[in-house]
PDB file of all heavy atoms in Angstrom:
ATOM      1  N   LYS A 763      85.826 113.271  89.675  1.00 93.00           N
ATOM      2  CA  LYS A 763      86.769 113.808  90.656  1.00 93.00           C
ATOM      3  C   LYS A 763      86.811 112.891  91.878  1.00 93.00           C
ATOM      4  O   LYS A 763      85.921 112.060  92.082  1.00 93.00           O
ATOM      5  CB  LYS A 763      86.375 115.220  91.088  1.00 93.00           C
ATOM      6  CG  LYS A 763      85.106 115.282  91.922  1.00 93.00           C
ATOM      7  CD  LYS A 763      84.899 116.681  92.510  1.00 93.00           C
ATOM      8  CE  LYS A 763      83.755 116.672  93.531  1.00 93.00           C
ATOM      9  NZ  LYS A 763      83.620 117.982  94.200  1.00 93.00           N
ATOM     10  N   ILE A 764      87.863 113.057  92.689  1.00 93.00           N
ATOM     11  CA  ILE A 764      87.963 112.303  93.934  1.00 93.00           C
ATOM     12  C   ILE A 764      87.046 112.932  94.980  1.00 93.00           C
ATOM     13  O   ILE A 764      87.152 114.129  95.270  1.00 93.00           O
ATOM     14  CB  ILE A 764      89.418 112.280  94.437  1.00 93.00           C
ATOM     15  CG1 ILE A 764      90.297 111.455  93.491  1.00 93.00           C
ATOM     16  CG2 ILE A 764      89.486 111.692  95.847  1.00 93.00           C
ATOM     17  CD1 ILE A 764      91.746 111.402  93.894  1.00 93.00           C
ATOM     18  N   GLU A 765      86.147 112.138  95.510  1.00 94.00           N
ATOM     19  CA  GLU A 765      85.233 112.595  96.554  1.00 94.00           C
ATOM     20  C   GLU A 765      85.917 112.592  97.915  1.00 94.00           C
ATOM     21  O   GLU A 765      85.797 113.532  98.696  1.00 94.00           O
ATOM     22  CB  GLU A 765      84.001 111.681  96.576  1.00 94.00           C
ATOM     23  CG  GLU A 765      82.933 112.055  97.591  1.00 94.00           C
ATOM     24  CD  GLU A 765      82.061 113.201  97.143  1.00 94.00           C
ATOM     25  OE1 GLU A 765      82.044 113.491  95.932  1.00 94.00           O
ATOM     26  OE2 GLU A 765      81.418 113.801  98.014  1.00 94.00           O
ATOM     27  N   LYS A 766      86.635 111.516  98.215  1.00 93.00           N
ATOM     28  CA  LYS A 766      87.341 111.371  99.488  1.00 93.00           C
ATOM     29  C   LYS A 766      88.616 110.578  99.241  1.00 93.00           C
ATOM     30  O   LYS A 766      88.654 109.707  98.372  1.00 93.00           O
ATOM     31  CB  LYS A 766      86.495 110.626 100.530  1.00 93.00           C
ATOM     32  CG  LYS A 766      85.122 111.238 100.830  1.00 93.00           C
ATOM     33  CD  LYS A 766      84.258 110.269 101.656  1.00 93.00           C
ATOM     34  CE  LYS A 766      82.814 110.738 101.762  1.00 93.00           C
ATOM     35  NZ  LYS A 766      82.639 111.849 102.680  1.00 93.00           N
ATOM     36  N   SER A 767      89.645 110.869 100.030  1.00 94.00           N
ATOM     37  CA  SER A 767      90.887 110.118  99.949  1.00 94.00           C
ATOM     38  C   SER A 767      91.590 110.212 101.292  1.00 94.00           C
ATOM     39  O   SER A 767      91.640 111.292 101.892  1.00 94.00           O
ATOM     40  CB  SER A 767      91.790 110.673  98.844  1.00 94.00           C
ATOM     41  OG  SER A 767      92.997 109.950  98.774  1.00 94.00           O
ATOM     42  N   PHE A 768      92.104 109.077 101.770  1.00 92.00           N
ATOM     43  CA  PHE A 768      92.789 109.101 103.060  1.00 92.00           C
ATOM     44  C   PHE A 768      93.759 107.936 103.170  1.00 92.00           C
ATOM     45  O   PHE A 768      93.657 106.939 102.447  1.00 92.00           O
ATOM     46  CB  PHE A 768      91.795 109.081 104.226  1.00 92.00           C
ATOM     47  CG  PHE A 768      90.923 107.856 104.295  1.00 92.00           C
ATOM     48  CD1 PHE A 768      91.218 106.825 105.175  1.00 92.00           C
ATOM     49  CD2 PHE A 768      89.795 107.734 103.501  1.00 92.00           C
ATOM     50  CE1 PHE A 768      90.419 105.702 105.249  1.00 92.00           C
ATOM     51  CE2 PHE A 768      88.986 106.613 103.569  1.00 92.00           C
ATOM     52  CZ  PHE A 768      89.301 105.597 104.450  1.00 92.00           C
ATOM     53  N   LYS A 769      94.703 108.100 104.085  1.00 95.00           N
ATOM     54  CA  LYS A 769      95.723 107.084 104.341  1.00 95.00           C
ATOM     55  C   LYS A 769      95.179 106.066 105.331  1.00 95.00           C
ATOM     56  O   LYS A 769      94.697 106.426 106.410  1.00 95.00           O
ATOM     57  CB  LYS A 769      96.977 107.738 104.921  1.00 95.00           C
ATOM     58  CG  LYS A 769      98.172 106.814 105.044  1.00 95.00           C
ATOM     59  CD  LYS A 769      98.841 106.621 103.704  1.00 95.00           C
ATOM     60  CE  LYS A 769     100.197 105.933 103.828  1.00 95.00           C
ATOM     61  NZ  LYS A 769     100.824 105.723 102.513  1.00 95.00           N
ATOM     62  N   VAL A 770      95.267 104.790 104.975  1.00 96.00           N
ATOM     63  CA  VAL A 770      94.826 103.718 105.862  1.00 96.00           C
ATOM     64  C   VAL A 770      96.010 103.114 106.597  1.00 96.00           C
ATOM     65  O   VAL A 770      95.972 102.890 107.807  1.00 96.00           O
ATOM     66  CB  VAL A 770      94.082 102.631 105.053  1.00 96.00           C
ATOM     67  CG1 VAL A 770      93.790 101.407 105.919  1.00 96.00           C
ATOM     68  CG2 VAL A 770      92.796 103.195 104.477  1.00 96.00           C
ATOM     69  N   THR A 771      97.110 102.867 105.875  1.00 95.00           N
ATOM     70  CA  THR A 771      98.239 102.149 106.434  1.00 95.00           C
ATOM     71  C   THR A 771      99.481 102.450 105.603  1.00 95.00           C
ATOM     72  O   THR A 771      99.373 102.934 104.467  1.00 95.00           O
ATOM     73  CB  THR A 771      97.955 100.631 106.445  1.00 95.00           C
ATOM     74  OG1 THR A 771      99.136  99.918 106.817  1.00 95.00           O
ATOM     75  CG2 THR A 771      97.510 100.136 105.082  1.00 95.00           C
ATOM     76  N   GLU A 772     100.641 102.148 106.167  1.00 93.00           N
ATOM     77  CA  GLU A 772     101.885 102.298 105.425  1.00 93.00           C
ATOM     78  C   GLU A 772     102.130 101.123 104.485  1.00 93.00           C
ATOM     79  O   GLU A 772     103.016 101.182 103.633  1.00 93.00           O
ATOM     80  CB  GLU A 772     103.064 102.438 106.401  1.00 93.00           C
ATOM     81  CG  GLU A 772     103.049 103.721 107.212  1.00 93.00           C
ATOM     82  CD  GLU A 772     103.090 104.966 106.334  1.00 93.00           C
ATOM     83  OE1 GLU A 772     103.802 104.953 105.310  1.00 93.00           O
ATOM     84  OE2 GLU A 772     102.380 105.935 106.658  1.00 93.00           O
ATOM     85  N   SER A 773     101.361 100.030 104.644  1.00 95.00           N
ATOM     86  CA  SER A 773     101.511  98.894 103.755  1.00 95.00           C
ATOM     87  C   SER A 773     100.430  98.901 102.685  1.00 95.00           C
ATOM     88  O   SER A 773      99.442  99.606 102.801  1.00 95.00           O
ATOM     89  CB  SER A 773     101.476  97.579 104.514  1.00 95.00           C
ATOM     90  OG  SER A 773     100.898  97.682 105.737  1.00 95.00           O
ATOM     91  N   PRO A 774     100.629  98.153 101.612  1.00 95.00           N
ATOM     92  CA  PRO A 774      99.643  98.144 100.531  1.00 95.00           C
ATOM     93  C   PRO A 774      98.256  97.727 101.000  1.00 95.00           C
ATOM     94  O   PRO A 774      98.100  96.779 101.782  1.00 95.00           O
ATOM     95  CB  PRO A 774     100.224  97.123  99.539  1.00 95.00           C
ATOM     96  CG  PRO A 774     101.695  97.175  99.770  1.00 95.00           C
ATOM     97  CD  PRO A 774     101.856  97.393 101.245  1.00 95.00           C
ATOM     98  N   ALA A 775      97.245  98.429 100.513  1.00 97.00           N
ATOM     99  CA  ALA A 775      95.843  98.060 100.731  1.00 97.00           C
ATOM    100  C   ALA A 775      95.378  97.279  99.506  1.00 97.00           C
ATOM    101  O   ALA A 775      95.332  97.828  98.406  1.00 97.00           O
ATOM    102  CB  ALA A 775      94.990  99.295 100.952  1.00 97.00           C
ATOM    103  N   ARG A 776      95.074  96.001  99.688  1.00 96.00           N
ATOM    104  CA  ARG A 776      94.778  95.140  98.535  1.00 96.00           C
ATOM    105  C   ARG A 776      93.284  94.941  98.286  1.00 96.00           C
ATOM    106  O   ARG A 776      92.894  94.543  97.196  1.00 96.00           O
ATOM    107  CB  ARG A 776      95.441  93.764  98.711  1.00 96.00           C
ATOM    108  CG  ARG A 776      96.944  93.831  98.619  1.00 96.00           C
ATOM    109  CD  ARG A 776      97.595  92.474  98.558  1.00 96.00           C
ATOM    110  NE  ARG A 776      99.032  92.617  98.628  1.00 96.00           N
ATOM    111  CZ  ARG A 776      99.832  92.718  97.574  1.00 96.00           C
ATOM    112  NH1 ARG A 776      99.334  92.679  96.356  1.00 96.00           N
ATOM    113  NH2 ARG A 776     101.136  92.867  97.730  1.00 96.00           N
ATOM    114  N   SER A 777      92.454  95.164  99.294  1.00 97.00           N
ATOM    115  CA  SER A 777      91.015  94.947  99.102  1.00 97.00           C
ATOM    116  C   SER A 777      90.243  95.968  99.920  1.00 97.00           C
ATOM    117  O   SER A 777      90.535  96.177 101.103  1.00 97.00           O
ATOM    118  CB  SER A 777      90.624  93.525  99.529  1.00 97.00           C
ATOM    119  OG  SER A 777      89.263  93.281  99.261  1.00 97.00           O
ATOM    120  N   ALA A 778      89.268  96.613  99.291  1.00 98.00           N
ATOM    121  CA  ALA A 778      88.389  97.557  99.984  1.00 98.00           C
ATOM    122  C   ALA A 778      86.967  97.365  99.468  1.00 98.00           C
ATOM    123  O   ALA A 778      86.761  97.239  98.255  1.00 98.00           O
ATOM    124  CB  ALA A 778      88.849  98.990  99.770  1.00 98.00           C
ATOM    125  N   LYS A 779      86.018  97.331 100.389  1.00 98.00           N
ATOM    126  CA  LYS A 779      84.624  97.088 100.036  1.00 98.00           C
ATOM    127  C   LYS A 779      83.707  98.067 100.767  1.00 98.00           C
ATOM    128  O   LYS A 779      83.971  98.456 101.903  1.00 98.00           O
ATOM    129  CB  LYS A 779      84.210  95.656 100.436  1.00 98.00           C
ATOM    130  CG  LYS A 779      84.989  94.543  99.764  1.00 98.00           C
ATOM    131  CD  LYS A 779      84.549  94.342  98.333  1.00 98.00           C
ATOM    132  CE  LYS A 779      85.224  93.116  97.724  1.00 98.00           C
ATOM    133  NZ  LYS A 779      84.822  92.921  96.323  1.00 98.00           N
ATOM    134  N   PHE A 780      82.621  98.414 100.109  1.00 98.00           N
ATOM    135  CA  PHE A 780      81.543  99.140 100.774  1.00 98.00           C
ATOM    136  C   PHE A 780      80.687  98.164 101.588  1.00 98.00           C
ATOM    137  O   PHE A 780      80.393  97.052 101.137  1.00 98.00           O
ATOM    138  CB  PHE A 780      80.624  99.811  99.755  1.00 98.00           C
ATOM    139  CG  PHE A 780      81.194 101.020  99.076  1.00 98.00           C
ATOM    140  CD1 PHE A 780      81.453 100.999  97.712  1.00 98.00           C
ATOM    141  CD2 PHE A 780      81.438 102.190  99.785  1.00 98.00           C
ATOM    142  CE1 PHE A 780      81.958 102.125  97.068  1.00 98.00           C
ATOM    143  CE2 PHE A 780      81.943 103.322  99.152  1.00 98.00           C
ATOM    144  CZ  PHE A 780      82.200 103.291  97.799  1.00 98.00           C
ATOM    145  N   ILE A 781      80.292  98.570 102.792  1.00 97.00           N
ATOM    146  CA  ILE A 781      79.209  97.915 103.525  1.00 97.00           C
ATOM    147  C   ILE A 781      78.117  98.969 103.624  1.00 97.00           C
ATOM    148  O   ILE A 781      78.062  99.781 104.550  1.00 97.00           O
ATOM    149  CB  ILE A 781      79.643  97.415 104.912  1.00 97.00           C
ATOM    150  CG1 ILE A 781      80.864  96.511 104.801  1.00 97.00           C
ATOM    151  CG2 ILE A 781      78.492  96.672 105.592  1.00 97.00           C
ATOM    152  CD1 ILE A 781      81.362  95.957 106.125  1.00 97.00           C
ATOM    153  N   VAL A 782      77.246  98.993 102.631  1.00 96.00           N
ATOM    154  CA  VAL A 782      76.348 100.124 102.419  1.00 96.00           C
ATOM    155  C   VAL A 782      75.338 100.258 103.551  1.00 96.00           C
ATOM    156  O   VAL A 782      75.026 101.376 103.990  1.00 96.00           O
ATOM    157  CB  VAL A 782      75.640  99.978 101.054  1.00 96.00           C
ATOM    158  CG1 VAL A 782      74.629 101.087 100.847  1.00 96.00           C
ATOM    159  CG2 VAL A 782      76.678  99.987  99.937  1.00 96.00           C
ATOM    160  N   ARG A 783      74.843  99.129 104.064  1.00 95.00           N
ATOM    161  CA  ARG A 783      73.801  99.220 105.093  1.00 95.00           C
ATOM    162  C   ARG A 783      74.316  99.801 106.397  1.00 95.00           C
ATOM    163  O   ARG A 783      73.531 100.172 107.262  1.00 95.00           O
ATOM    164  CB  ARG A 783      73.167  97.854 105.321  1.00 95.00           C
ATOM    165  CG  ARG A 783      74.113  96.720 105.695  1.00 95.00           C
ATOM    166  CD  ARG A 783      73.393  95.390 105.551  1.00 95.00           C
ATOM    167  NE  ARG A 783      74.160  94.226 105.966  1.00 95.00           N
ATOM    168  CZ  ARG A 783      74.963  93.545 105.168  1.00 95.00           C
ATOM    169  NH1 ARG A 783      75.147  93.952 103.928  1.00 95.00           N
ATOM    170  NH2 ARG A 783      75.596  92.471 105.603  1.00 95.00           N
ATOM    171  N   GLU A 784      75.628  99.912 106.560  1.00 97.00           N
ATOM    172  CA  GLU A 784      76.221 100.521 107.753  1.00 97.00           C
ATOM    173  C   GLU A 784      76.949 101.840 107.449  1.00 97.00           C
ATOM    174  O   GLU A 784      77.507 102.450 108.358  1.00 97.00           O
ATOM    175  CB  GLU A 784      77.213  99.539 108.395  1.00 97.00           C
ATOM    176  CG  GLU A 784      76.625  98.203 108.806  1.00 97.00           C
ATOM    177  CD  GLU A 784      75.732  98.296 110.028  1.00 97.00           C
ATOM    178  OE1 GLU A 784      75.733  99.348 110.697  1.00 97.00           O
ATOM    179  OE2 GLU A 784      75.024  97.303 110.302  1.00 97.00           O
ATOM    180  N   ASN A 785      76.952 102.231 106.159  1.00 97.00           N
ATOM    181  CA  ASN A 785      77.733 103.407 105.724  1.00 97.00           C
ATOM    182  C   ASN A 785      79.220 103.236 106.050  1.00 97.00           C
ATOM    183  O   ASN A 785      79.887 104.179 106.473  1.00 97.00           O
ATOM    184  CB  ASN A 785      77.212 104.704 106.354  1.00 97.00           C
ATOM    185  CG  ASN A 785      75.863 105.111 105.802  1.00 97.00           C
ATOM    186  OD1 ASN A 785      75.269 104.397 104.994  1.00 97.00           O
ATOM    187  ND2 ASN A 785      75.366 106.248 106.220  1.00 97.00           N
ATOM    188  N   TRP A 786      79.744 102.040 105.777  1.00 98.00           N
ATOM    189  CA  TRP A 786      81.117 101.714 106.111  1.00 98.00           C
ATOM    190  C   TRP A 786      81.930 101.401 104.858  1.00 98.00           C
ATOM    191  O   TRP A 786      81.400 101.036 103.822  1.00 98.00           O
ATOM    192  CB  TRP A 786      81.194 100.489 107.015  1.00 98.00           C
ATOM    193  CG  TRP A 786      80.719 100.682 108.417  1.00 98.00           C
ATOM    194  CD1 TRP A 786      80.492 101.858 109.076  1.00 98.00           C
ATOM    195  CD2 TRP A 786      80.397  99.638 109.345  1.00 98.00           C
ATOM    196  NE1 TRP A 786      80.055 101.609 110.359  1.00 98.00           N
ATOM    197  CE2 TRP A 786      79.987 100.259 110.550  1.00 98.00           C
ATOM    198  CE3 TRP A 786      80.414  98.240 109.285  1.00 98.00           C
ATOM    199  CZ2 TRP A 786      79.604  99.527 111.679  1.00 98.00           C
ATOM    200  CZ3 TRP A 786      80.037  97.507 110.399  1.00 98.00           C
ATOM    201  CH2 TRP A 786      79.633  98.148 111.589  1.00 98.00           C
ATOM    202  N   ILE A 787      83.239 101.553 105.043  1.00 98.00           N
ATOM    203  CA  ILE A 787      84.249 100.986 104.149  1.00 98.00           C
ATOM    204  C   ILE A 787      85.080 100.020 104.980  1.00 98.00           C
ATOM    205  O   ILE A 787      85.468 100.340 106.104  1.00 98.00           O
ATOM    206  CB  ILE A 787      85.176 102.078 103.588  1.00 98.00           C
ATOM    207  CG1 ILE A 787      84.420 103.032 102.674  1.00 98.00           C
ATOM    208  CG2 ILE A 787      86.358 101.470 102.848  1.00 98.00           C
ATOM    209  CD1 ILE A 787      85.205 104.299 102.381  1.00 98.00           C
TER     210      ILE A 787
END
């Protein structure tokens, strides 16, 4: 299932990465 989902921008998002040591995307 989807854990989380949200809108980032009105334009295409081409790359997304975890930065685990900071709890970031």
Side-chain angles (χ1 to χ4, degrees):
K763 69 171 189 175
I764 292 179
E765 182 79 18
K766 304 168 190 285
S767 180
F768 62 100
K769 188 78 169 179
V770 172
T771 172
E772 293 300 322
S773 20
R776 291 190 187 268
S777 184
K779 299 284 187 181
F780 286 114
I781 306 180
V782 176
R783 56 194 184 271
E784 302 287 348
N785 290 4
W786 289 345
I787 294 166

